[in-house]
Amino acid sequence: MAAVVASATRNLPWSFPAASKNNIINNSNTNSNSSSSSNNNPLASSTMPTFAAPSMMLPRTALEVGVWECFLEEANKWEPYPWPANSILEQAYCQSWHTVEFTSRGIRYEAKLASPSPVPGMVQVNASTGKQRKIRRWASLASKAVHLEQSRKRLEHCMQADHVWVLFPQSQDALNLEDGPLEGLLAREKYNLGTQLTFSEAWWPDFMRASWGRSSQERGGHAQQQQQHLTRAFHPLGSPCNFAVHRLKAPIGDLNRVGVEWAAIMRYWNTQPTRLVGALRIQSRHLLHGFAAAREAMLARLNEDGNEETAGQKLQVKLLWHGTKSIENLLDVCNEGFDRAHAHSCLYGKGCYFAKTSSYSENYSCHVSIPCESRPCRAMILAAVLVGECVQGTRNMYPPPVKGGSKCGERYENAVDNVSDPQIFVTFKDYQAVPLYVVVFS
């Protein structure tokens, strides 16, 4: 066999047979003075290419066997390249080539190792379809093992803190937490909801008044309201989180002895309670303030006859379920609220959809990966929704129709699937709903 991979000072420990038509490297960046064959194909000849010595010492990893992997989105995992594709990529990388072409399993690819691309980092491009996949390199199997062990320890550290966002779209092996910021995990950033939100008003759900409200503390003989100590959510991969988060764990043992919040989640969960894995309490200052302001505006519109009590009876705060197909969209909802522009199914109107039962929204929930959790999990949102006077929804309806007999031309607040027994509710206004919990289940 003929050695074909060269570093700047010595031969690297690979060898493979003479090149065939199905396994050829094309390198547009090779120096014309190289001792390789005239077609710039170092695999087509047993003659070793020669390179100028570098001006600095090579790193230790230059003498190790590199390990290359390709990320398969459909399987959520990194797949190692077989030989000889791995050796071809390593040779190109060591020689600082920008691109290299190779064939693997009968399919021709181009690897972009140092050129701009729609996909950040190094990518593999299918020559026939143009499909791109992320690729990565480990200096050796040993360095990969060290890196993954460091990531595992960091994950364990993250899981011990209840303010960490622990839901990811990728498998644990696909996460690269070493590149994420650590400062937000070690130094908790305080978060407050403002002085106006006390959750003491009767219109808030009872469990929120009990667990989200301010606690009373005696100081100098006077009762003072103390706001909850909240911490801004920390995302291990660096994604921005403009809300506070608190992790709730599913109880073990007697389900009758649970906290107020978990009891509320179980009350609205209409399938087997043992499927519940945990939940993240979401507290967003601007979304909660917007929700309270939207309620006041809706009350004003409902108060056409000047009877505030009647208007209050027409407007309710319901806890309903909302599913979204991706973890990215779920995080967007926690940051920015519900956006009707993302609505894909418009059977009952162009708005945001919420279901009375968790089993219905489960069909629209997203798959999530949780570190240290072996069970396959999914997640969806339990939200507080302002529900006023409802009309039967129709496909692509927007805006909702004007109420019959309205003196001011006021429109219905919500559309539903069935006016007499609604199971699906549609909102049309910003801040008409607010996420309260991200519920995780198996």
Side-chain angles (χ1 to χ4, degrees), residues 11 40 43 75 79 82 149 169 195 256 269 276 278-279 330 337 346 369 399 420:
N11 297 340
N40 292 327
L43 297 184
E79 183 73 15
E149 177 63 16
T195 58
N256 295 319
W269 180 263
L276 291 171
L330 191 149
C346 300
S369 176
S420 59

Side-chain angles (χ1 to χ4, degrees), residues 331-353:
L331 185 59
D332 284 344
V333 169
C334 295
N335 272 315
E336 304 297 337
F338 296 99
D339 187 352
R340 62 178 180 270
H342 294 308
H344 299 294
S345 175
C346 300
L347 185 61
Y348 303 110
K350 293 182 179 180
C352 295
Y353 281 63

Side-chain angles (χ1 to χ4, degrees), residues 228-281:
Q228 278 191 334
H229 296 290
L230 304 178
T231 305
R232 183 184 297 275
F234 169 77
H235 199 295
L237 299 183
S239 298
C241 293
N242 189 24
F243 54 89
V245 70
H246 178 77
R247 194 183 316 151
L248 304 175
K249 297 181 180 178
I252 300 175
D254 188 0
L255 296 180
N256 295 319
R257 301 180 62 182
V258 298
V260 174
E261 290 180 280
W262 195 260
I265 292 173
M266 290 179 59
R267 187 163 66 245
Y268 292 96
W269 180 263
N270 70 319
T271 60
Q272 295 179 354
T274 54
R275 295 181 59 202
L276 291 171
V277 174
L280 298 178
R281 181 208 299 154

Side-chain angles (χ1 to χ4, degrees), residues 20-27 41 43 81 85 88 100-111 124-131:
S20 66
K21 293 182 179 179
N22 294 326
N23 191 19
I24 298 176
I25 296 180
N26 295 325
N27 173 27
N41 175 19
L43 297 184
Y81 279 99
I88 295 172
V100 62
E101 294 180 1
F102 65 97
T103 298
S104 180
R105 298 185 176 95
I107 303 176
R108 191 137 186 102
Y109 299 99
E110 179 187 23
Q124 166 195 280
V125 183
N126 188 306
S128 299
T129 65
K131 181 177 177 60

Side-chain angles (χ1 to χ4, degrees), residues 35-351:
S35 61
S36 58
S37 59
S38 60
N39 62 354
N40 292 327
N41 175 19
L43 297 184
S45 170
S46 60
T47 303
M48 176 62 63
T50 58
F51 302 92
S55 59
M56 62 182 68
M57 183 178 296
L58 286 174
R60 179 183 61 83
T61 54
L63 305 181
E64 298 181 2
V65 179
V67 178
W68 289 80
E69 297 174 334
C70 178
F71 185 66
L72 306 179
E73 293 87 352
E74 61 275 13
N76 261 343
K77 68 175 184 179
W78 289 93
E79 183 73 15
Y81 279 99
W83 182 92
N86 188 92
S87 296
I88 295 172
L89 290 168
E90 182 65 10
Q91 175 183 263
Y93 178 83
C94 291
Q95 296 179 3
S96 300
W97 293 355
H98 290 177
T99 62
V100 62
E101 294 180 1
F102 65 97
T103 298
S104 180
R105 298 185 176 95
I107 303 176
R108 191 137 186 102
Y109 299 99
E110 179 187 23
K112 297 183 178 181
L113 307 180
S115 58
S117 170
V119 180
M122 298 185 292
V123 295
Q124 166 195 280
V125 183
N126 188 306
S128 299
T129 65
K131 181 177 177 60
Q132 297 190 4
R133 295 186 187 275
K134 295 180 181 179
I135 59 177
R136 68 182 182 185
R137 175 188 181 269
W138 301 100
S140 67
L141 286 174
S143 65
K144 175 183 178 180
V146 171
H147 180 95
L148 294 181
E149 177 63 16
Q150 292 173 344
S151 291
R152 185 189 65 80
K153 291 181 178 180
R154 194 171 189 276
L155 279 172
E156 290 179 352
H157 196 97
C158 288
M159 293 301 292
Q160 295 173 3
D162 61 8
H163 70 292
V164 175
W165 181 271
V166 294
L167 307 180
F168 302 99
Q170 301 174 335
S171 64
Q172 183 172 333
D173 179 59
L175 297 176
N176 188 10
L177 299 188
E178 294 302 307
D179 294 336
L182 190 59
E183 295 78 8
L185 176 62
L186 300 179
R188 291 171 175 248
E189 181 180 352
K190 292 182 179 180
Y191 189 91
N192 69 81
L193 299 179
T195 58
Q196 297 176 339
L197 275 178
T198 63
F199 303 104
S200 60
E201 297 88 348
W203 59 269
W204 289 105
D206 54 355
F207 75 90
M208 292 182 67
R209 297 199 303 271
S211 59
W212 286 40
R214 300 182 175 207
S215 59
S216 296
Q217 184 175 355
E218 290 288 338
R219 287 189 178 179
H222 300 282
Q224 295 184 348
Q225 295 294 317
Q226 301 295 322
Q227 193 172 29
Q228 278 191 334
H229 296 290
L230 304 178
T231 305
R232 183 184 297 275
F234 169 77
H235 199 295
L237 299 183
S239 298
C241 293
N242 189 24
F243 54 89
V245 70
H246 178 77
R247 194 183 316 151
L248 304 175
K249 297 181 180 178
I252 300 175
D254 188 0
L255 296 180
N256 295 319
R257 301 180 62 182
V258 298
V260 174
E261 290 180 280
W262 195 260
I265 292 173
M266 290 179 59
R267 187 163 66 245
Y268 292 96
W269 180 263
N270 70 319
T271 60
Q272 295 179 354
T274 54
R275 295 181 59 202
L276 291 171
V277 174
L280 298 178
R281 181 208 299 154
I282 307 299
Q283 292 175 285
S284 167
R285 179 170 51 246
H286 78 279
L287 294 182
L288 287 167
H289 278 274
F291 182 76
R295 179 182 177 274
E296 291 299 318
M298 293 176 71
L299 279 175
R301 290 195 296 270
L302 288 166
N303 189 22
E304 282 189 318
D305 56 4
N307 190 332
E308 294 184 3
E309 183 177 353
T310 302
Q313 293 174 352
K314 293 179 180 178
L315 185 62
Q316 305 176 54
V317 176
K318 290 183 176 290
L319 264 66
L320 303 173
W321 297 94
H322 177 86
T324 182
K325 287 293 187 180
S326 74
I327 190 68
E328 292 83 5
N329 289 343
L330 191 149
L331 185 59
D332 284 344
V333 169
C334 295
N335 272 315
E336 304 297 337
F338 296 99
D339 187 352
R340 62 178 180 270
H342 294 308
H344 299 294
S345 175
C346 300
L347 185 61
Y348 303 110
K350 293 182 179 180

